[in-house]
Amino acid sequence: SQQGEEDPQALSIQEGENATMNCSYKTSINNLQWYRQNSGRGLVHLILIRSNEREKHSGRLRVTLDTSKKSSSLLITASRAADTASYFCATSPSGNTPLVFGKGTRLSVIA
Amino acid sequence: DTEVTQTPKHLVMGMTNKKSLKCEQHMGHRAMYWYKQKAKKPPELMFVYSYEKLSINESVPSRFSPECPNSSLLNLHLHALQPEDSALYLCASSQDPGILGNQPQHFGDGTRLSIL
């Protein structure tokens, strides 16, 4: 079963708006990762946040992690049509077990 | 452009055919992965190779046979597939097999497989 569950399953916003996606997971983790997948393409790694970090930024991306609630959020600010994609969180219960991907959020940014 | 190259991009095969999917990376990564992805679903792990040795097989049917000829190449041999095996097959790599879940993975763009 998936370790992570994204919410919402689908999100549609206007260009320029912010998009927020959430991920909840079940077991303790060492880190949580976010990936983007454009239609018909492979996954692209966006950001990795470690369990002792609470917030991380990369360009227009802001990721938070709340280990007490076993949840993370991905915020994309000033969204663009090119941000249209599926976004997956991925976790690993321990360092040497492979990643398990959540169900993903499908983001549509309308120009 | 991705640093993990998969060929072919598309493959249509009958249930009695034998074909192979190929994956190549030149980043010096020593962990390589095969995933299966159905439409609107997350990738599902099939196999992991660590230092060119099969380290994880997620109970994949024997009609899928992985091979890692060297540290840069990963193959997936297909034989007697079923229609439900139609999916996007993704290859990925990461740097250190000792910390599989603690590092980013780099994905290829996949092979879109259709079984007739």
Side-chain angles (χ1 to χ4, degrees), chain A residues 31 33 35 37 41-42 95-96 102, chain B residues 37 42 97 101-103 105 108-109:
Chain A
N31 68 83
Q33 302 182 32
Y35 288 79
Q37 185 177 31
R41 304 294 300 272
N96 203 24
Chain B
Q37 187 180 28
N102 272 356
Q103 62 196 312
Q105 289 187 11
D109 280 338

Side-chain angles (χ1 to χ4, degrees), chain A residues 2-21:
Chain A
Q2 274 83 32
Q3 164 78 321
E5 293 273 340
E6 285 89 341
D7 166 53
Q9 290 188 350
L11 179 61
S12 184
I13 60 173
Q14 297 287 327
E15 206 167 29
E17 293 180 339
N18 296 342
T20 300
M21 288 158 269

Side-chain angles (χ1 to χ4, degrees), chain A residues 57-104:
Chain A
H57 296 254
S58 177
R60 292 183 296 113
L61 305 181
R62 172 179 169 250
V63 168
T64 62
L65 179 64
D66 187 335
T67 53
S68 66
K69 294 181 179 177
K70 292 188 170 58
S71 68
S72 173
S73 67
L74 170 67
L75 169 66
I76 304 174
T77 60
S79 62
R80 306 166 181 168
D83 295 327
T84 295
S86 291
Y87 292 81
F88 296 95
C89 68
T91 58
S92 171
S94 68
N96 203 24
T97 54
L99 291 174
V100 177
F101 289 85
K103 293 182 179 178

